[in-house]
Amino acid sequence: MPGSARGAAGACDAELHAWPAAGAALRAAAHAGGARRAVFGGEAAGAFAALQAVVGAPEPAHAAAAGLILMRPPTIWGEREVWRRRYETAAGWVEKDGFEGKDVQWEAKLRLTAASYAGKLSKQEREVILGEWRAMGAPAYAAALRGLAASELPCDSVLRGLQLPVLVLAVPGDAEHPVQAAEDLAAIIPGARLAVAQSFQDAFETWPLLIREMLDSLAAD
């Protein structure tokens, strides 16, 4: 996708990294793959890219969206403001000092040792991710942060108008992707199913089963 770390080298337009553009890329991928019915899903910011793949689609593409899976959705609406400022600040650091600046190194370390990665990334794996960020180039990485900062959810009325199965998955202990955001989304989207894991280990063990259950249900329809 244009707005992903692995596919965005040289993509220095922040708009390409915002959720609507990422959603459009998902729709294009589904269309290119010849899918008549697609289940869109993602984790963290990718969850809202998947949501945009559904709500941003023209009417014929809406019909092709069979389901939606939102894993660890980020903060929403007013709660995003503190993170929006943080993304903008980090983008400014990268633009000023590149990846080797002290502030940039601190921010990267903070993100890669956050609760969302607890027990998931080894030191070597963190270095791989840092390498991918560097491979984007500082301008594209800063644009990705600014695109994330500029992204926002659709309004309540759009979310309340969704007419497809939706699975919302959350886990406590991650301020950037709080359980409250998942609960709010599940309360707004008609018929959405919410599952909150007890821990990250519980999420690793149970979420694949919940996703498979949803996919099997859709395949049987």
PDB file of all heavy atoms in Angstrom, residues 2-5 8-19 21 84 87-96 99 133 136-151:
ATOM      1  N   PRO A   2       0.411   2.328  -0.576  1.00  0.00           N
ATOM      2  CA  PRO A   2       1.204   3.545  -0.618  1.00  0.00           C
ATOM      3  C   PRO A   2       1.595   4.037   0.758  1.00  0.00           C
ATOM      4  O   PRO A   2       2.647   4.596   0.951  1.00  0.00           O
ATOM      5  CB  PRO A   2       0.268   4.546  -1.311  1.00  0.00           C
ATOM      6  CG  PRO A   2      -0.707   3.725  -2.059  1.00  0.00           C
ATOM      7  CD  PRO A   2      -0.860   2.462  -1.277  1.00  0.00           C
ATOM      8  N   GLY A   3       0.718   3.851   1.738  1.00  0.00           N
ATOM      9  CA  GLY A   3       0.986   4.392   3.061  1.00  0.00           C
ATOM     10  C   GLY A   3       1.590   3.415   4.034  1.00  0.00           C
ATOM     11  O   GLY A   3       1.569   3.656   5.233  1.00  0.00           O
ATOM     12  N   SER A   4       2.118   2.294   3.569  1.00  0.00           N
ATOM     13  CA  SER A   4       2.722   1.331   4.493  1.00  0.00           C
ATOM     14  C   SER A   4       4.227   1.501   4.509  1.00  0.00           C
ATOM     15  O   SER A   4       4.830   1.967   3.553  1.00  0.00           O
ATOM     16  CB  SER A   4       2.381  -0.109   4.068  1.00  0.00           C
ATOM     17  OG  SER A   4       3.070  -0.443   2.888  1.00  0.00           O
ATOM     18  N   ALA A   5       4.822   1.107   5.617  1.00  0.00           N
ATOM     19  CA  ALA A   5       6.277   1.257   5.732  1.00  0.00           C
ATOM     20  C   ALA A   5       7.003   0.436   4.679  1.00  0.00           C
ATOM     21  O   ALA A   5       8.054   0.824   4.194  1.00  0.00           O
ATOM     22  CB  ALA A   5       6.729   0.833   7.135  1.00  0.00           C
ATOM     23  N   ALA A   8       6.199   2.283   0.963  1.00  0.00           N
ATOM     24  CA  ALA A   8       6.079   3.724   0.851  1.00  0.00           C
ATOM     25  C   ALA A   8       7.384   4.443   0.583  1.00  0.00           C
ATOM     26  O   ALA A   8       7.438   5.658   0.681  1.00  0.00           O
ATOM     27  CB  ALA A   8       5.448   4.288   2.126  1.00  0.00           C
ATOM     28  N   ALA A   9       8.431   3.737   0.237  1.00  0.00           N
ATOM     29  CA  ALA A   9       9.690   4.411   0.003  1.00  0.00           C
ATOM     30  C   ALA A   9       9.495   5.492  -1.049  1.00  0.00           C
ATOM     31  O   ALA A   9       9.030   5.228  -2.151  1.00  0.00           O
ATOM     32  CB  ALA A   9      10.749   3.402  -0.445  1.00  0.00           C
ATOM     33  N   GLY A  10       9.842   6.705  -0.706  1.00  0.00           N
ATOM     34  CA  GLY A  10       9.692   7.809  -1.638  1.00  0.00           C
ATOM     35  C   GLY A  10       8.330   8.456  -1.619  1.00  0.00           C
ATOM     36  O   GLY A  10       8.122   9.462  -2.287  1.00  0.00           O
ATOM     37  N   ALA A  11       7.366   7.902  -0.877  1.00  0.00           N
ATOM     38  CA  ALA A  11       6.024   8.487  -0.809  1.00  0.00           C
ATOM     39  C   ALA A  11       6.031   9.597   0.232  1.00  0.00           C
ATOM     40  O   ALA A  11       5.830   9.357   1.411  1.00  0.00           O
ATOM     41  CB  ALA A  11       4.998   7.413  -0.458  1.00  0.00           C
ATOM     42  N   CYS A  12       6.284  10.813  -0.215  1.00  0.00           N
ATOM     43  CA  CYS A  12       6.494  11.930   0.714  1.00  0.00           C
ATOM     44  C   CYS A  12       5.264  12.806   0.882  1.00  0.00           C
ATOM     45  O   CYS A  12       5.347  13.858   1.506  1.00  0.00           O
ATOM     46  CB  CYS A  12       7.679  12.771   0.247  1.00  0.00           C
ATOM     47  SG  CYS A  12       9.226  11.833   0.166  1.00  0.00           S
ATOM     48  N   ASP A  13       4.157  12.401   0.313  1.00  0.00           N
ATOM     49  CA  ASP A  13       2.906  13.132   0.457  1.00  0.00           C
ATOM     50  C   ASP A  13       2.154  12.556   1.647  1.00  0.00           C
ATOM     51  O   ASP A  13       1.762  11.386   1.645  1.00  0.00           O
ATOM     52  CB  ASP A  13       2.080  12.989  -0.822  1.00  0.00           C
ATOM     53  CG  ASP A  13       0.792  13.796  -0.781  1.00  0.00           C
ATOM     54  OD1 ASP A  13       0.423  14.298   0.296  1.00  0.00           O
ATOM     55  OD2 ASP A  13       0.141  13.914  -1.831  1.00  0.00           O
ATOM     56  N   ALA A  14       1.936  13.373   2.683  1.00  0.00           N
ATOM     57  CA  ALA A  14       1.270  12.879   3.894  1.00  0.00           C
ATOM     58  C   ALA A  14      -0.105  12.309   3.589  1.00  0.00           C
ATOM     59  O   ALA A  14      -0.552  11.367   4.253  1.00  0.00           O
ATOM     60  CB  ALA A  14       1.158  14.008   4.921  1.00  0.00           C
ATOM     61  N   GLU A  15      -0.772  12.839   2.591  1.00  0.00           N
ATOM     62  CA  GLU A  15      -2.122  12.362   2.255  1.00  0.00           C
ATOM     63  C   GLU A  15      -2.119  10.899   1.848  1.00  0.00           C
ATOM     64  O   GLU A  15      -3.094  10.182   2.070  1.00  0.00           O
ATOM     65  CB  GLU A  15      -2.707  13.228   1.136  1.00  0.00           C
ATOM     66  CG  GLU A  15      -4.181  13.008   0.896  1.00  0.00           C
ATOM     67  CD  GLU A  15      -4.772  13.997  -0.085  1.00  0.00           C
ATOM     68  OE1 GLU A  15      -4.262  15.131  -0.149  1.00  0.00           O
ATOM     69  OE2 GLU A  15      -5.735  13.631  -0.783  1.00  0.00           O
ATOM     70  N   LEU A  16      -1.019  10.440   1.250  1.00  0.00           N
ATOM     71  CA  LEU A  16      -0.916   9.037   0.847  1.00  0.00           C
ATOM     72  C   LEU A  16      -0.873   8.100   2.045  1.00  0.00           C
ATOM     73  O   LEU A  16      -1.147   6.911   1.926  1.00  0.00           O
ATOM     74  CB  LEU A  16       0.332   8.817  -0.011  1.00  0.00           C
ATOM     75  CG  LEU A  16       0.325   9.406  -1.418  1.00  0.00           C
ATOM     76  CD1 LEU A  16       1.672   9.179  -2.084  1.00  0.00           C
ATOM     77  CD2 LEU A  16      -0.795   8.798  -2.251  1.00  0.00           C
ATOM     78  N   HIS A  17      -0.504   8.631   3.205  1.00  0.00           N
ATOM     79  CA  HIS A  17      -0.367   7.819   4.408  1.00  0.00           C
ATOM     80  C   HIS A  17      -1.576   7.921   5.328  1.00  0.00           C
ATOM     81  O   HIS A  17      -1.609   7.279   6.369  1.00  0.00           O
ATOM     82  CB  HIS A  17       0.883   8.247   5.177  1.00  0.00           C
ATOM     83  CG  HIS A  17       2.153   8.065   4.413  1.00  0.00           C
ATOM     84  ND1 HIS A  17       2.889   6.904   4.436  1.00  0.00           N
ATOM     85  CD2 HIS A  17       2.807   8.908   3.574  1.00  0.00           C
ATOM     86  CE1 HIS A  17       3.958   7.038   3.667  1.00  0.00           C
ATOM     87  NE2 HIS A  17       3.930   8.245   3.138  1.00  0.00           N
ATOM     88  N   ALA A  18      -2.542   8.749   4.964  1.00  0.00           N
ATOM     89  CA  ALA A  18      -3.739   8.901   5.790  1.00  0.00           C
ATOM     90  C   ALA A  18      -4.667   7.713   5.577  1.00  0.00           C
ATOM     91  O   ALA A  18      -4.585   6.998   4.580  1.00  0.00           O
ATOM     92  CB  ALA A  18      -4.447  10.207   5.450  1.00  0.00           C
ATOM     93  N   TRP A  19      -5.570   7.505   6.527  1.00  0.00           N
ATOM     94  CA  TRP A  19      -6.441   6.331   6.474  1.00  0.00           C
ATOM     95  C   TRP A  19      -7.285   6.230   5.208  1.00  0.00           C
ATOM     96  O   TRP A  19      -7.437   5.129   4.662  1.00  0.00           O
ATOM     97  CB  TRP A  19      -7.348   6.306   7.710  1.00  0.00           C
ATOM     98  CG  TRP A  19      -6.585   6.167   8.987  1.00  0.00           C
ATOM     99  CD1 TRP A  19      -5.337   5.633   9.161  1.00  0.00           C
ATOM    100  CD2 TRP A  19      -7.022   6.572  10.290  1.00  0.00           C
ATOM    101  NE1 TRP A  19      -4.967   5.681  10.485  1.00  0.00           N
ATOM    102  CE2 TRP A  19      -5.970   6.256  11.203  1.00  0.00           C
ATOM    103  CE3 TRP A  19      -8.185   7.155  10.771  1.00  0.00           C
ATOM    104  CZ2 TRP A  19      -6.067   6.512  12.572  1.00  0.00           C
ATOM    105  CZ3 TRP A  19      -8.281   7.416  12.134  1.00  0.00           C
ATOM    106  CH2 TRP A  19      -7.244   7.097  13.018  1.00  0.00           C
ATOM    107  N   ALA A  21      -6.590   7.080   2.118  1.00  0.00           N
ATOM    108  CA  ALA A  21      -5.756   6.575   1.028  1.00  0.00           C
ATOM    109  C   ALA A  21      -5.400   5.111   1.250  1.00  0.00           C
ATOM    110  O   ALA A  21      -5.380   4.312   0.301  1.00  0.00           O
ATOM    111  CB  ALA A  21      -4.483   7.410   0.911  1.00  0.00           C
ATOM    112  N   ARG A  84      -2.027  12.962  18.217  1.00  0.00           N
ATOM    113  CA  ARG A  84      -1.854  13.777  17.021  1.00  0.00           C
ATOM    114  C   ARG A  84      -0.648  14.722  17.196  1.00  0.00           C
ATOM    115  O   ARG A  84       0.188  14.849  16.305  1.00  0.00           O
ATOM    116  CB  ARG A  84      -3.126  14.585  16.768  1.00  0.00           C
ATOM    117  CG  ARG A  84      -3.266  15.109  15.350  1.00  0.00           C
ATOM    118  CD  ARG A  84      -4.468  16.040  15.234  1.00  0.00           C
ATOM    119  NE  ARG A  84      -5.685  15.471  15.760  1.00  0.00           N
ATOM    120  CZ  ARG A  84      -6.475  14.639  15.103  1.00  0.00           C
ATOM    121  NH1 ARG A  84      -6.153  14.252  13.886  1.00  0.00           N
ATOM    122  NH2 ARG A  84      -7.587  14.179  15.650  1.00  0.00           N
ATOM    123  N   TYR A  87       2.633  12.688  17.072  1.00  0.00           N
ATOM    124  CA  TYR A  87       3.046  12.321  15.716  1.00  0.00           C
ATOM    125  C   TYR A  87       3.653  13.529  14.994  1.00  0.00           C
ATOM    126  O   TYR A  87       4.673  13.404  14.307  1.00  0.00           O
ATOM    127  CB  TYR A  87       1.854  11.806  14.910  1.00  0.00           C
ATOM    128  CG  TYR A  87       1.163  10.599  15.492  1.00  0.00           C
ATOM    129  CD1 TYR A  87      -0.226  10.463  15.405  1.00  0.00           C
ATOM    130  CD2 TYR A  87       1.879   9.590  16.125  1.00  0.00           C
ATOM    131  CE1 TYR A  87      -0.876   9.377  15.942  1.00  0.00           C
ATOM    132  CE2 TYR A  87       1.223   8.489  16.663  1.00  0.00           C
ATOM    133  CZ  TYR A  87      -0.155   8.389  16.573  1.00  0.00           C
ATOM    134  OH  TYR A  87      -0.806   7.312  17.110  1.00  0.00           O
ATOM    135  N   GLU A  88       3.035  14.680  15.137  1.00  0.00           N
ATOM    136  CA  GLU A  88       3.541  15.886  14.486  1.00  0.00           C
ATOM    137  C   GLU A  88       4.918  16.260  15.032  1.00  0.00           C
ATOM    138  O   GLU A  88       5.813  16.648  14.263  1.00  0.00           O
ATOM    139  CB  GLU A  88       2.557  17.047  14.692  1.00  0.00           C
ATOM    140  CG  GLU A  88       1.274  16.938  13.884  1.00  0.00           C
ATOM    141  CD  GLU A  88       1.474  17.263  12.412  1.00  0.00           C
ATOM    142  OE1 GLU A  88       2.616  17.581  12.015  1.00  0.00           O
ATOM    143  OE2 GLU A  88       0.490  17.187  11.652  1.00  0.00           O
ATOM    144  N   THR A  89       5.088  16.153  16.347  1.00  0.00           N
ATOM    145  CA  THR A  89       6.388  16.458  16.950  1.00  0.00           C
ATOM    146  C   THR A  89       7.464  15.511  16.445  1.00  0.00           C
ATOM    147  O   THR A  89       8.575  15.935  16.079  1.00  0.00           O
ATOM    148  CB  THR A  89       6.291  16.372  18.485  1.00  0.00           C
ATOM    149  OG1 THR A  89       5.347  17.336  18.949  1.00  0.00           O
ATOM    150  CG2 THR A  89       7.645  16.642  19.125  1.00  0.00           C
ATOM    151  N   ALA A  90       7.143  14.224  16.403  1.00  0.00           N
ATOM    152  CA  ALA A  90       8.109  13.230  15.930  1.00  0.00           C
ATOM    153  C   ALA A  90       8.461  13.472  14.465  1.00  0.00           C
ATOM    154  O   ALA A  90       9.619  13.326  14.058  1.00  0.00           O
ATOM    155  CB  ALA A  90       7.554  11.826  16.115  1.00  0.00           C
ATOM    156  N   ALA A  91       7.483  13.860  13.653  1.00  0.00           N
ATOM    157  CA  ALA A  91       7.745  14.163  12.246  1.00  0.00           C
ATOM    158  C   ALA A  91       8.720  15.324  12.128  1.00  0.00           C
ATOM    159  O   ALA A  91       9.639  15.306  11.296  1.00  0.00           O
ATOM    160  CB  ALA A  91       6.439  14.487  11.529  1.00  0.00           C
ATOM    161  N   GLY A  92       8.539  16.337  12.959  1.00  0.00           N
ATOM    162  CA  GLY A  92       9.449  17.474  12.938  1.00  0.00           C
ATOM    163  C   GLY A  92      10.863  17.088  13.317  1.00  0.00           C
ATOM    164  O   GLY A  92      11.841  17.574  12.719  1.00  0.00           O
ATOM    165  N   TRP A  93      11.000  16.192  14.304  1.00  0.00           N
ATOM    166  CA  TRP A  93      12.328  15.723  14.696  1.00  0.00           C
ATOM    167  C   TRP A  93      13.020  15.008  13.530  1.00  0.00           C
ATOM    168  O   TRP A  93      14.200  15.232  13.271  1.00  0.00           O
ATOM    169  CB  TRP A  93      12.216  14.755  15.870  1.00  0.00           C
ATOM    170  CG  TRP A  93      11.892  15.417  17.186  1.00  0.00           C
ATOM    171  CD1 TRP A  93      12.109  16.718  17.524  1.00  0.00           C
ATOM    172  CD2 TRP A  93      11.311  14.783  18.318  1.00  0.00           C
ATOM    173  NE1 TRP A  93      11.685  16.937  18.812  1.00  0.00           N
ATOM    174  CE2 TRP A  93      11.194  15.768  19.331  1.00  0.00           C
ATOM    175  CE3 TRP A  93      10.874  13.493  18.600  1.00  0.00           C
ATOM    176  CZ2 TRP A  93      10.662  15.499  20.591  1.00  0.00           C
ATOM    177  CZ3 TRP A  93      10.344  13.214  19.855  1.00  0.00           C
ATOM    178  CH2 TRP A  93      10.243  14.212  20.829  1.00  0.00           C
ATOM    179  N   VAL A  94      12.281  14.139  12.848  1.00  0.00           N
ATOM    180  CA  VAL A  94      12.871  13.385  11.736  1.00  0.00           C
ATOM    181  C   VAL A  94      13.278  14.333  10.618  1.00  0.00           C
ATOM    182  O   VAL A  94      14.359  14.194  10.027  1.00  0.00           O
ATOM    183  CB  VAL A  94      11.874  12.330  11.215  1.00  0.00           C
ATOM    184  CG1 VAL A  94      12.422  11.654   9.961  1.00  0.00           C
ATOM    185  CG2 VAL A  94      11.598  11.284  12.280  1.00  0.00           C
ATOM    186  N   GLU A  95      12.430  15.279  10.308  1.00  0.00           N
ATOM    187  CA  GLU A  95      12.748  16.237   9.242  1.00  0.00           C
ATOM    188  C   GLU A  95      13.977  17.076   9.585  1.00  0.00           C
ATOM    189  O   GLU A  95      14.763  17.424   8.706  1.00  0.00           O
ATOM    190  CB  GLU A  95      11.550  17.146   8.993  1.00  0.00           C
ATOM    191  CG  GLU A  95      10.378  16.429   8.334  1.00  0.00           C
ATOM    192  CD  GLU A  95       9.094  17.228   8.361  1.00  0.00           C
ATOM    193  OE1 GLU A  95       8.974  18.149   9.196  1.00  0.00           O
ATOM    194  OE2 GLU A  95       8.207  16.934   7.542  1.00  0.00           O
ATOM    195  N   LYS A  96      14.155  17.374  10.860  1.00  0.00           N
ATOM    196  CA  LYS A  96      15.266  18.227  11.282  1.00  0.00           C
ATOM    197  C   LYS A  96      16.565  17.451  11.412  1.00  0.00           C
ATOM    198  O   LYS A  96      17.619  17.906  10.951  1.00  0.00           O
ATOM    199  CB  LYS A  96      14.923  18.883  12.622  1.00  0.00           C
ATOM    200  CG  LYS A  96      16.014  19.779  13.208  1.00  0.00           C
ATOM    201  CD  LYS A  96      15.521  20.435  14.481  1.00  0.00           C
ATOM    202  CE  LYS A  96      16.606  21.313  15.113  1.00  0.00           C
ATOM    203  NZ  LYS A  96      17.690  20.498  15.687  1.00  0.00           N
ATOM    204  N   PHE A  99      17.151  10.145  11.060  1.00  0.00           N
ATOM    205  CA  PHE A  99      16.889   9.040  11.977  1.00  0.00           C
ATOM    206  C   PHE A  99      17.894   8.949  13.121  1.00  0.00           C
ATOM    207  O   PHE A  99      17.665   8.237  14.088  1.00  0.00           O
ATOM    208  CB  PHE A  99      16.872   7.715  11.215  1.00  0.00           C
ATOM    209  CG  PHE A  99      15.647   7.515  10.375  1.00  0.00           C
ATOM    210  CD1 PHE A  99      15.707   7.668   9.005  1.00  0.00           C
ATOM    211  CD2 PHE A  99      14.430   7.202  10.948  1.00  0.00           C
ATOM    212  CE1 PHE A  99      14.572   7.493   8.215  1.00  0.00           C
ATOM    213  CE2 PHE A  99      13.293   7.036  10.178  1.00  0.00           C
ATOM    214  CZ  PHE A  99      13.370   7.185   8.814  1.00  0.00           C
ATOM    215  N   TRP A 133      11.976   1.369   8.756  1.00  0.00           N
ATOM    216  CA  TRP A 133      11.652   2.797   8.841  1.00  0.00           C
ATOM    217  C   TRP A 133      12.732   3.624   8.146  1.00  0.00           C
ATOM    218  O   TRP A 133      12.440   4.552   7.407  1.00  0.00           O
ATOM    219  CB  TRP A 133      11.526   3.207  10.307  1.00  0.00           C
ATOM    220  CG  TRP A 133      10.318   2.661  10.985  1.00  0.00           C
ATOM    221  CD1 TRP A 133       9.277   1.981  10.394  1.00  0.00           C
ATOM    222  CD2 TRP A 133      10.011   2.714  12.377  1.00  0.00           C
ATOM    223  NE1 TRP A 133       8.351   1.612  11.336  1.00  0.00           N
ATOM    224  CE2 TRP A 133       8.769   2.046  12.561  1.00  0.00           C
ATOM    225  CE3 TRP A 133      10.658   3.246  13.482  1.00  0.00           C
ATOM    226  CZ2 TRP A 133       8.165   1.920  13.808  1.00  0.00           C
ATOM    227  CZ3 TRP A 133      10.063   3.122  14.729  1.00  0.00           C
ATOM    228  CH2 TRP A 133       8.829   2.469  14.882  1.00  0.00           C
ATOM    229  N   MET A 136      12.550   3.689   4.387  1.00  0.00           N
ATOM    230  CA  MET A 136      11.569   4.603   3.810  1.00  0.00           C
ATOM    231  C   MET A 136      12.211   5.931   3.423  1.00  0.00           C
ATOM    232  O   MET A 136      11.774   6.594   2.486  1.00  0.00           O
ATOM    233  CB  MET A 136      10.449   4.889   4.812  1.00  0.00           C
ATOM    234  CG  MET A 136       9.543   3.728   5.123  1.00  0.00           C
ATOM    235  SD  MET A 136       8.357   4.156   6.429  1.00  0.00           S
ATOM    236  CE  MET A 136       7.316   5.361   5.595  1.00  0.00           C
ATOM    237  N   GLY A 137      13.245   6.312   4.170  1.00  0.00           N
ATOM    238  CA  GLY A 137      13.821   7.635   4.023  1.00  0.00           C
ATOM    239  C   GLY A 137      13.123   8.602   4.963  1.00  0.00           C
ATOM    240  O   GLY A 137      11.924   8.482   5.216  1.00  0.00           O
ATOM    241  N   ALA A 138      13.879   9.547   5.495  1.00  0.00           N
ATOM    242  CA  ALA A 138      13.330  10.475   6.476  1.00  0.00           C
ATOM    243  C   ALA A 138      12.119  11.250   5.962  1.00  0.00           C
ATOM    244  O   ALA A 138      11.129  11.398   6.682  1.00  0.00           O
ATOM    245  CB  ALA A 138      14.425  11.431   6.967  1.00  0.00           C
ATOM    246  N   PRO A 139      12.130  11.773   4.730  1.00  0.00           N
ATOM    247  CA  PRO A 139      10.958  12.531   4.262  1.00  0.00           C
ATOM    248  C   PRO A 139       9.685  11.689   4.220  1.00  0.00           C
ATOM    249  O   PRO A 139       8.611  12.148   4.620  1.00  0.00           O
ATOM    250  CB  PRO A 139      11.367  12.993   2.855  1.00  0.00           C
ATOM    251  CG  PRO A 139      12.867  13.019   2.895  1.00  0.00           C
ATOM    252  CD  PRO A 139      13.242  11.851   3.764  1.00  0.00           C
ATOM    253  N   ALA A 140       9.790  10.449   3.752  1.00  0.00           N
ATOM    254  CA  ALA A 140       8.609   9.586   3.665  1.00  0.00           C
ATOM    255  C   ALA A 140       8.138   9.172   5.057  1.00  0.00           C
ATOM    256  O   ALA A 140       6.930   9.088   5.314  1.00  0.00           O
ATOM    257  CB  ALA A 140       8.914   8.347   2.824  1.00  0.00           C
ATOM    258  N   TYR A 141       9.100   8.910   5.961  1.00  0.00           N
ATOM    259  CA  TYR A 141       8.718   8.528   7.325  1.00  0.00           C
ATOM    260  C   TYR A 141       8.008   9.685   8.019  1.00  0.00           C
ATOM    261  O   TYR A 141       6.995   9.490   8.697  1.00  0.00           O
ATOM    262  CB  TYR A 141       9.966   8.114   8.110  1.00  0.00           C
ATOM    263  CG  TYR A 141       9.674   7.630   9.510  1.00  0.00           C
ATOM    264  CD1 TYR A 141       9.018   6.422   9.720  1.00  0.00           C
ATOM    265  CD2 TYR A 141      10.051   8.373  10.627  1.00  0.00           C
ATOM    266  CE1 TYR A 141       8.751   5.966  11.008  1.00  0.00           C
ATOM    267  CE2 TYR A 141       9.782   7.931  11.912  1.00  0.00           C
ATOM    268  CZ  TYR A 141       9.129   6.729  12.091  1.00  0.00           C
ATOM    269  OH  TYR A 141       8.852   6.282  13.361  1.00  0.00           O
ATOM    270  N   ALA A 142       8.517  10.893   7.843  1.00  0.00           N
ATOM    271  CA  ALA A 142       7.861  12.066   8.424  1.00  0.00           C
ATOM    272  C   ALA A 142       6.472  12.249   7.824  1.00  0.00           C
ATOM    273  O   ALA A 142       5.514  12.587   8.528  1.00  0.00           O
ATOM    274  CB  ALA A 142       8.715  13.309   8.189  1.00  0.00           C
ATOM    275  N   ALA A 143       6.347  12.018   6.518  1.00  0.00           N
ATOM    276  CA  ALA A 143       5.038  12.128   5.870  1.00  0.00           C
ATOM    277  C   ALA A 143       4.055  11.109   6.423  1.00  0.00           C
ATOM    278  O   ALA A 143       2.865  11.393   6.592  1.00  0.00           O
ATOM    279  CB  ALA A 143       5.184  11.955   4.357  1.00  0.00           C
ATOM    280  N   ALA A 144       4.568   9.901   6.721  1.00  0.00           N
ATOM    281  CA  ALA A 144       3.707   8.866   7.298  1.00  0.00           C
ATOM    282  C   ALA A 144       3.174   9.303   8.651  1.00  0.00           C
ATOM    283  O   ALA A 144       1.998   9.113   8.973  1.00  0.00           O
ATOM    284  CB  ALA A 144       4.476   7.556   7.419  1.00  0.00           C
ATOM    285  N   LEU A 145       4.040   9.917   9.463  1.00  0.00           N
ATOM    286  CA  LEU A 145       3.612  10.403  10.773  1.00  0.00           C
ATOM    287  C   LEU A 145       2.586  11.536  10.626  1.00  0.00           C
ATOM    288  O   LEU A 145       1.591  11.588  11.358  1.00  0.00           O
ATOM    289  CB  LEU A 145       4.815  10.896  11.571  1.00  0.00           C
ATOM    290  CG  LEU A 145       5.777   9.806  12.074  1.00  0.00           C
ATOM    291  CD1 LEU A 145       7.054  10.435  12.623  1.00  0.00           C
ATOM    292  CD2 LEU A 145       5.110   8.933  13.125  1.00  0.00           C
ATOM    293  N   ARG A 146       2.814  12.430   9.671  1.00  0.00           N
ATOM    294  CA  ARG A 146       1.868  13.533   9.471  1.00  0.00           C
ATOM    295  C   ARG A 146       0.541  13.021   8.915  1.00  0.00           C
ATOM    296  O   ARG A 146      -0.526  13.538   9.252  1.00  0.00           O
ATOM    297  CB  ARG A 146       2.479  14.580   8.550  1.00  0.00           C
ATOM    298  CG  ARG A 146       3.696  15.279   9.145  1.00  0.00           C
ATOM    299  CD  ARG A 146       4.027  16.574   8.435  1.00  0.00           C
ATOM    300  NE  ARG A 146       5.292  17.134   8.898  1.00  0.00           N
ATOM    301  CZ  ARG A 146       5.437  17.818  10.033  1.00  0.00           C
ATOM    302  NH1 ARG A 146       4.386  17.992  10.837  1.00  0.00           N
ATOM    303  NH2 ARG A 146       6.612  18.312  10.376  1.00  0.00           N
ATOM    304  N   GLY A 147       0.596  12.000   8.070  1.00  0.00           N
ATOM    305  CA  GLY A 147      -0.636  11.403   7.572  1.00  0.00           C
ATOM    306  C   GLY A 147      -1.433  10.759   8.682  1.00  0.00           C
ATOM    307  O   GLY A 147      -2.665  10.862   8.728  1.00  0.00           O
ATOM    308  N   LEU A 148      -0.727  10.113   9.589  1.00  0.00           N
ATOM    309  CA  LEU A 148      -1.380   9.503  10.751  1.00  0.00           C
ATOM    310  C   LEU A 148      -1.992  10.584  11.641  1.00  0.00           C
ATOM    311  O   LEU A 148      -3.117  10.432  12.137  1.00  0.00           O
ATOM    312  CB  LEU A 148      -0.361   8.679  11.530  1.00  0.00           C
ATOM    313  CG  LEU A 148      -0.878   7.869  12.718  1.00  0.00           C
ATOM    314  CD1 LEU A 148      -1.961   6.894  12.283  1.00  0.00           C
ATOM    315  CD2 LEU A 148       0.279   7.109  13.370  1.00  0.00           C
ATOM    316  N   ALA A 149      -1.261  11.674  11.819  1.00  0.00           N
ATOM    317  CA  ALA A 149      -1.764  12.768  12.650  1.00  0.00           C
ATOM    318  C   ALA A 149      -3.025  13.393  12.058  1.00  0.00           C
ATOM    319  O   ALA A 149      -3.928  13.816  12.784  1.00  0.00           O
ATOM    320  CB  ALA A 149      -0.687  13.832  12.818  1.00  0.00           C
ATOM    321  N   ALA A 150      -3.100  13.443  10.743  1.00  0.00           N
ATOM    322  CA  ALA A 150      -4.236  14.087  10.074  1.00  0.00           C
ATOM    323  C   ALA A 150      -5.453  13.177   9.956  1.00  0.00           C
ATOM    324  O   ALA A 150      -6.547  13.644   9.623  1.00  0.00           O
ATOM    325  CB  ALA A 150      -3.813  14.561   8.683  1.00  0.00           C
ATOM    326  N   SER A 151      -5.277  11.910  10.231  1.00  0.00           N
ATOM    327  CA  SER A 151      -6.359  10.945  10.035  1.00  0.00           C
ATOM    328  C   SER A 151      -7.393  11.029  11.151  1.00  0.00           C
ATOM    329  O   SER A 151      -7.059  11.272  12.308  1.00  0.00           O
ATOM    330  CB  SER A 151      -5.796   9.519   9.971  1.00  0.00           C
ATOM    331  OG  SER A 151      -4.954   9.356   8.846  1.00  0.00           O
TER     332      SER A 151
END
